[in-house]
């Protein structure tokens, strides 16, 4: 993939900047009847989407071998990988994260900057928080399909986000 565009999209109600997909967005894009049209638009208008090793690792853990192979191919076609905004022992890959004091990650996880054991709240929420923090750090629109946890995390960070159905509708609008 080439350079990520920061220009506003003519149809998307997003003031500009890159897109960052949560793993759920890759799943929904793969299953979408307009997948090829959406992929073309993502590549043409945005230069692809940002993602991290977290999403790649989650795709790699997909149980269905066919779906895993197809999601990996989709990921490779549209993704520009960037480092996560925070390093978390046991989750982060060396060289694939930025150093931070963890304050923003704690806000994403717990709603306050008080340090707690991140693993105590669950690996899934920890990964979601890492993804949302990376979207915040890269000034990206976070695209996801989690109507509970990811929305709460994004709102704690004042992170612009959009659920897949809204994103898809706006991308396909004439």
């Amino acid at each position: 993939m080439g350079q990520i565009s920061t220009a506003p999209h003519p149809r998307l109600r997003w003031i500009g900047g890159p897109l960052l997909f949560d793993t759920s967005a890759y799943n929904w894009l793969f299953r979408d009847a307009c997948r090829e049209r959406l992929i073309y638009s993502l590549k043409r208008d945005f230069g692809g989407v940002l993602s991290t090793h977290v999403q790649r690792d989650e795709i790699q853990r997909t149980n269905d071998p066919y779906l895993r192979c197809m999601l990996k191919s989709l990921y490779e076609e549209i993704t520009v990988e960037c480092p996560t905004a925070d390093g978390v022992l046991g989750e982060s890959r060396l060289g694939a994260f930025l150093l931070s004091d963890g304050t923003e990650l704690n806000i994403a996880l717990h709603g306050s900057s008080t340090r707690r054991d991140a693993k105590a709240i669950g690996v899934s929420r920890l990964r979601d928080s890492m993804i949302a923090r990376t979207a915040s750090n890269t000034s990206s629109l976070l695209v996801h399909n989690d109507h509970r946890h990811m929305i709460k995390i994004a709102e704690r960070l004042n992170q612009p986000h959009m659920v897949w159905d809204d994103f898809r509708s706006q991308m396909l609008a004439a």
Side-chain angles (χ1 to χ4, degrees):
M1 293 293 332
Q3 193 77 347
I4 292 291
S5 172
T6 58
H9 190 276
R11 294 183 303 270
L12 191 61
R13 286 192 313 255
W14 167 235
I15 58 171
L19 303 173
L20 191 138
F21 272 18
D22 177 46
T23 311
S24 63
Y26 287 99
N27 280 290
W28 283 95
L29 176 58
F30 172 71
R31 290 179 171 89
D32 199 291
C34 297
R35 175 178 63 219
E36 293 305 318
R37 185 173 162 201
L38 288 164
I39 289 171
Y40 175 78
S41 183
L42 286 168
K43 289 165 61 173
R44 180 194 66 210
D45 299 340
F46 293 99
V49 298
L50 292 176
S51 199
T52 72
H53 72 85
V54 175
Q55 292 93 317
R56 183 170 26 93
D57 294 346
E58 288 180 340
I59 287 170
Q60 185 60 39
R61 286 190 290 273
T62 301
N63 289 332
D64 181 314
Y66 172 76
L67 180 59
R68 179 176 53 244
C69 180
M70 297 309 290
L71 288 173
K72 283 171 57 176
S73 177
L74 175 62
Y75 181 91
E76 291 168 6
E77 181 178 359
I78 66 169
T79 300
V80 175
E81 203 162 281
C82 66
T84 58
D86 302 283
V88 176
L89 190 62
E91 288 299 321
S92 297
R93 291 175 179 242
L94 288 177
F97 64 90
L98 302 175
L99 293 178
S100 74
D101 68 0
T103 300
E104 292 293 319
L105 184 61
N106 276 306
I107 289 170
L109 284 166
H110 312 294
S112 75
S113 60
T114 306
R115 295 191 183 279
R116 298 184 215 167
D117 179 16
K119 292 281 189 175
I121 58 98
V123 172
S124 177
R125 289 189 189 173
L126 173 61
R127 291 179 186 142
D128 285 348
S129 296
M130 291 172 69
I131 292 167
R133 273 280 299 129
T134 303
S136 177
N137 196 53
T138 57
S139 301
S140 300
L141 175 67
L142 176 61
V143 180
H144 61 90
N145 204 49
D146 185 343
H147 295 274
R148 299 167 309 183
H149 305 298
M150 191 60 93
I151 288 174
K152 189 182 296 183
I153 291 166
E155 289 174 352
R156 286 177 183 157
L157 295 170
N158 294 318
Q159 170 60 41
H161 63 96
M162 191 176 289
V163 294
W164 174 257
D165 290 338
D166 294 340
F167 175 78
R168 178 192 187 278
S169 295
Q170 289 185 35
M171 287 292 289
L172 295 175

mmCIF file of all heavy atoms in Angstrom, residues 31-54:
data_model
loop_
_atom_site.group_PDB
_atom_site.id
_atom_site.type_symbol
_atom_site.label_atom_id
_atom_site.label_comp_id
_atom_site.label_asym_id
_atom_site.label_seq_id
_atom_site.Cartn_x
_atom_site.Cartn_y
_atom_site.Cartn_z
ATOM 1 N N ARG A 31 -17.533 -9.883 4.196
ATOM 2 C CA ARG A 31 -18.860 -10.462 3.958
ATOM 3 C C ARG A 31 -19.788 -9.549 3.153
ATOM 4 O O ARG A 31 -20.893 -9.939 2.817
ATOM 5 C CB ARG A 31 -19.505 -10.798 5.296
ATOM 6 C CG ARG A 31 -18.838 -11.955 6.004
ATOM 7 C CD ARG A 31 -19.504 -12.232 7.351
ATOM 8 N NE ARG A 31 -19.027 -13.455 7.938
ATOM 9 C CZ ARG A 31 -17.974 -13.560 8.729
ATOM 10 N NH1 ARG A 31 -17.269 -12.477 9.042
ATOM 11 N NH2 ARG A 31 -17.598 -14.718 9.235
ATOM 12 N N ASP A 32 -19.364 -8.334 2.879
ATOM 13 C CA ASP A 32 -20.223 -7.344 2.233
ATOM 14 C C ASP A 32 -20.413 -7.648 0.746
ATOM 15 O O ASP A 32 -19.451 -7.954 0.042
ATOM 16 C CB ASP A 32 -19.621 -5.944 2.400
ATOM 17 C CG ASP A 32 -20.646 -4.867 2.174
ATOM 18 O OD1 ASP A 32 -21.079 -4.698 1.016
ATOM 19 O OD2 ASP A 32 -21.030 -4.212 3.158
ATOM 20 N N ALA A 33 -21.654 -7.541 0.277
ATOM 21 C CA ALA A 33 -21.966 -7.782 -1.129
ATOM 22 C C ALA A 33 -21.277 -6.755 -2.032
ATOM 23 O O ALA A 33 -21.006 -7.040 -3.199
ATOM 24 C CB ALA A 33 -23.478 -7.740 -1.347
ATOM 25 N N CYS A 34 -20.978 -5.584 -1.515
ATOM 26 C CA CYS A 34 -20.308 -4.522 -2.283
ATOM 27 C C CYS A 34 -18.821 -4.447 -1.943
ATOM 28 O O CYS A 34 -18.201 -3.390 -2.072
ATOM 29 C CB CYS A 34 -20.984 -3.181 -2.007
ATOM 30 S SG CYS A 34 -22.693 -3.115 -2.546
ATOM 31 N N ARG A 35 -18.246 -5.557 -1.523
ATOM 32 C CA ARG A 35 -16.861 -5.590 -1.061
ATOM 33 C C ARG A 35 -15.884 -4.977 -2.062
ATOM 34 O O ARG A 35 -15.067 -4.130 -1.692
ATOM 35 C CB ARG A 35 -16.453 -7.027 -0.729
ATOM 36 C CG ARG A 35 -14.987 -7.155 -0.356
ATOM 37 C CD ARG A 35 -14.583 -8.560 0.014
ATOM 38 N NE ARG A 35 -14.753 -9.461 -1.110
ATOM 39 C CZ ARG A 35 -15.214 -10.706 -0.999
ATOM 40 N NH1 ARG A 35 -15.535 -11.206 0.169
ATOM 41 N NH2 ARG A 35 -15.342 -11.470 -2.056
ATOM 42 N N GLU A 36 -15.956 -5.381 -3.316
ATOM 43 C CA GLU A 36 -14.994 -4.890 -4.308
ATOM 44 C C GLU A 36 -15.110 -3.386 -4.504
ATOM 45 O O GLU A 36 -14.095 -2.687 -4.625
ATOM 46 C CB GLU A 36 -15.151 -5.637 -5.634
ATOM 47 C CG GLU A 36 -14.774 -7.101 -5.548
ATOM 48 C CD GLU A 36 -13.365 -7.330 -5.002
ATOM 49 O OE1 GLU A 36 -12.438 -6.595 -5.390
ATOM 50 O OE2 GLU A 36 -13.196 -8.253 -4.182
ATOM 51 N N ARG A 37 -16.319 -2.866 -4.512
ATOM 52 C CA ARG A 37 -16.529 -1.415 -4.649
ATOM 53 C C ARG A 37 -15.964 -0.674 -3.438
ATOM 54 O O ARG A 37 -15.320 0.374 -3.575
ATOM 55 C CB ARG A 37 -18.017 -1.135 -4.815
ATOM 56 C CG ARG A 37 -18.338 0.295 -5.069
ATOM 57 C CD ARG A 37 -19.809 0.458 -5.395
ATOM 58 N NE ARG A 37 -20.190 1.843 -5.221
ATOM 59 C CZ ARG A 37 -21.412 2.244 -5.031
ATOM 60 N NH1 ARG A 37 -22.399 1.365 -4.992
ATOM 61 N NH2 ARG A 37 -21.678 3.515 -4.886
ATOM 62 N N LEU A 38 -16.194 -1.215 -2.259
ATOM 63 C CA LEU A 38 -15.677 -0.591 -1.039
ATOM 64 C C LEU A 38 -14.154 -0.634 -0.993
ATOM 65 O O LEU A 38 -13.507 0.354 -0.634
ATOM 66 C CB LEU A 38 -16.275 -1.275 0.197
ATOM 67 C CG LEU A 38 -17.752 -0.984 0.456
ATOM 68 C CD1 LEU A 38 -18.329 -1.993 1.443
ATOM 69 C CD2 LEU A 38 -17.938 0.434 0.938
ATOM 70 N N ILE A 39 -13.575 -1.769 -1.370
ATOM 71 C CA ILE A 39 -12.112 -1.892 -1.391
ATOM 72 C C ILE A 39 -11.514 -0.880 -2.370
ATOM 73 O O ILE A 39 -10.536 -0.194 -2.054
ATOM 74 C CB ILE A 39 -11.685 -3.329 -1.747
ATOM 75 C CG1 ILE A 39 -11.996 -4.279 -0.589
ATOM 76 C CG2 ILE A 39 -10.205 -3.385 -2.110
ATOM 77 C CD1 ILE A 39 -11.808 -5.751 -0.929
ATOM 78 N N TYR A 40 -12.110 -0.781 -3.547
ATOM 79 C CA TYR A 40 -11.627 0.177 -4.540
ATOM 80 C C TYR A 40 -11.647 1.594 -3.959
ATOM 81 O O TYR A 40 -10.673 2.342 -4.081
ATOM 82 C CB TYR A 40 -12.482 0.081 -5.805
ATOM 83 C CG TYR A 40 -12.117 1.119 -6.837
ATOM 84 C CD1 TYR A 40 -10.984 0.957 -7.639
ATOM 85 C CD2 TYR A 40 -12.882 2.266 -6.994
ATOM 86 C CE1 TYR A 40 -10.636 1.915 -8.580
ATOM 87 C CE2 TYR A 40 -12.531 3.228 -7.931
ATOM 88 C CZ TYR A 40 -11.409 3.051 -8.709
ATOM 89 O OH TYR A 40 -11.063 4.004 -9.636
ATOM 90 N N SER A 41 -12.752 1.966 -3.331
ATOM 91 C CA SER A 41 -12.881 3.306 -2.757
ATOM 92 C C SER A 41 -11.897 3.520 -1.609
ATOM 93 O O SER A 41 -11.283 4.588 -1.499
ATOM 94 C CB SER A 41 -14.316 3.527 -2.269
ATOM 95 O OG SER A 41 -14.466 4.838 -1.772
ATOM 96 N N LEU A 42 -11.718 2.520 -0.760
ATOM 97 C CA LEU A 42 -10.766 2.647 0.355
ATOM 98 C C LEU A 42 -9.349 2.875 -0.170
ATOM 99 O O LEU A 42 -8.617 3.719 0.356
ATOM 100 C CB LEU A 42 -10.798 1.391 1.235
ATOM 101 C CG LEU A 42 -12.006 1.228 2.133
ATOM 102 C CD1 LEU A 42 -12.048 -0.184 2.710
ATOM 103 C CD2 LEU A 42 -12.000 2.277 3.235
ATOM 104 N N LYS A 43 -8.979 2.145 -1.193
ATOM 105 C CA LYS A 43 -7.632 2.275 -1.755
ATOM 106 C C LYS A 43 -7.474 3.588 -2.518
ATOM 107 O O LYS A 43 -6.466 4.285 -2.375
ATOM 108 C CB LYS A 43 -7.319 1.075 -2.644
ATOM 109 C CG LYS A 43 -7.114 -0.202 -1.826
ATOM 110 C CD LYS A 43 -7.161 -1.471 -2.618
ATOM 111 C CE LYS A 43 -6.145 -1.619 -3.672
ATOM 112 N NZ LYS A 43 -6.160 -2.973 -4.290
ATOM 113 N N ARG A 44 -8.474 3.943 -3.320
ATOM 114 C CA ARG A 44 -8.400 5.162 -4.131
ATOM 115 C C ARG A 44 -8.485 6.427 -3.268
ATOM 116 O O ARG A 44 -7.685 7.345 -3.419
ATOM 117 C CB ARG A 44 -9.531 5.175 -5.156
ATOM 118 C CG ARG A 44 -9.521 6.422 -6.060
ATOM 119 C CD ARG A 44 -10.814 6.593 -6.817
ATOM 120 N NE ARG A 44 -11.866 6.873 -5.853
ATOM 121 C CZ ARG A 44 -13.142 6.526 -6.029
ATOM 122 N NH1 ARG A 44 -13.512 5.879 -7.107
ATOM 123 N NH2 ARG A 44 -14.039 6.804 -5.126
ATOM 124 N N ASP A 45 -9.458 6.457 -2.368
ATOM 125 C CA ASP A 45 -9.744 7.691 -1.630
ATOM 126 C C ASP A 45 -8.920 7.856 -0.355
ATOM 127 O O ASP A 45 -8.711 8.972 0.099
ATOM 128 C CB ASP A 45 -11.226 7.763 -1.272
ATOM 129 C CG ASP A 45 -12.121 7.780 -2.501
ATOM 130 O OD1 ASP A 45 -11.637 8.108 -3.602
ATOM 131 O OD2 ASP A 45 -13.310 7.456 -2.364
ATOM 132 N N PHE A 46 -8.496 6.747 0.233
ATOM 133 C CA PHE A 46 -7.774 6.826 1.502
ATOM 134 C C PHE A 46 -6.365 6.248 1.429
ATOM 135 O O PHE A 46 -5.601 6.369 2.374
ATOM 136 C CB PHE A 46 -8.548 6.100 2.611
ATOM 137 C CG PHE A 46 -9.839 6.772 2.967
ATOM 138 C CD1 PHE A 46 -11.035 6.325 2.449
ATOM 139 C CD2 PHE A 46 -9.849 7.869 3.822
ATOM 140 C CE1 PHE A 46 -12.228 6.946 2.768
ATOM 141 C CE2 PHE A 46 -11.036 8.499 4.152
ATOM 142 C CZ PHE A 46 -12.234 8.039 3.620
ATOM 143 N N GLY A 47 -6.038 5.573 0.364
ATOM 144 C CA GLY A 47 -4.735 4.911 0.286
ATOM 145 C C GLY A 47 -4.689 3.652 1.128
ATOM 146 O O GLY A 47 -3.629 3.129 1.432
ATOM 147 N N GLY A 48 -5.855 3.151 1.521
ATOM 148 C CA GLY A 48 -5.939 1.976 2.387
ATOM 149 C C GLY A 48 -6.375 2.374 3.780
ATOM 150 O O GLY A 48 -6.826 3.500 4.010
ATOM 151 N N VAL A 49 -6.253 1.459 4.700
ATOM 152 C CA VAL A 49 -6.628 1.728 6.094
ATOM 153 C C VAL A 49 -5.444 1.398 7.000
ATOM 154 O O VAL A 49 -4.622 0.538 6.679
ATOM 155 C CB VAL A 49 -7.869 0.916 6.534
ATOM 156 C CG1 VAL A 49 -9.089 1.283 5.710
ATOM 157 C CG2 VAL A 49 -7.632 -0.572 6.458
ATOM 158 N N LEU A 50 -5.387 2.091 8.111
ATOM 159 C CA LEU A 50 -4.369 1.789 9.107
ATOM 160 C C LEU A 50 -4.817 0.618 9.960
ATOM 161 O O LEU A 50 -6.014 0.419 10.181
ATOM 162 C CB LEU A 50 -4.131 3.001 10.017
ATOM 163 C CG LEU A 50 -3.481 4.224 9.385
ATOM 164 C CD1 LEU A 50 -3.422 5.361 10.398
ATOM 165 C CD2 LEU A 50 -2.103 3.897 8.869
ATOM 166 N N SER A 51 -3.863 -0.127 10.430
ATOM 167 C CA SER A 51 -4.134 -1.236 11.325
ATOM 168 C C SER A 51 -2.848 -1.559 12.067
ATOM 169 O O SER A 51 -1.790 -1.031 11.732
ATOM 170 C CB SER A 51 -4.628 -2.440 10.530
ATOM 171 O OG SER A 51 -5.285 -3.362 11.353
ATOM 172 N N THR A 52 -2.949 -2.410 13.057
ATOM 173 C CA THR A 52 -1.786 -2.766 13.871
ATOM 174 C C THR A 52 -1.602 -4.278 13.895
ATOM 175 O O THR A 52 -2.446 -5.026 13.394
ATOM 176 C CB THR A 52 -1.957 -2.280 15.331
ATOM 177 O OG1 THR A 52 -2.937 -3.102 15.983
ATOM 178 C CG2 THR A 52 -2.390 -0.823 15.401
ATOM 179 N N HIS A 53 -0.559 -4.704 14.534
ATOM 180 C CA HIS A 53 -0.334 -6.144 14.686
ATOM 181 C C HIS A 53 -1.455 -6.791 15.488
ATOM 182 O O HIS A 53 -1.701 -7.991 15.363
ATOM 183 C CB HIS A 53 1.019 -6.418 15.349
ATOM 184 C CG HIS A 53 1.050 -6.079 16.793
ATOM 185 N ND1 HIS A 53 0.625 -6.949 17.767
ATOM 186 C CD2 HIS A 53 1.432 -4.956 17.443
ATOM 187 C CE1 HIS A 53 0.743 -6.383 18.947
ATOM 188 N NE2 HIS A 53 1.241 -5.167 18.775
ATOM 189 N N VAL A 54 -2.181 -6.011 16.295
ATOM 190 C CA VAL A 54 -3.275 -6.568 17.107
ATOM 191 C C VAL A 54 -4.350 -7.144 16.193
ATOM 192 O O VAL A 54 -4.794 -8.283 16.386
ATOM 193 C CB VAL A 54 -3.857 -5.511 18.069
ATOM 194 C CG1 VAL A 54 -5.063 -6.054 18.815
ATOM 195 C CG2 VAL A 54 -2.797 -5.021 19.043
#
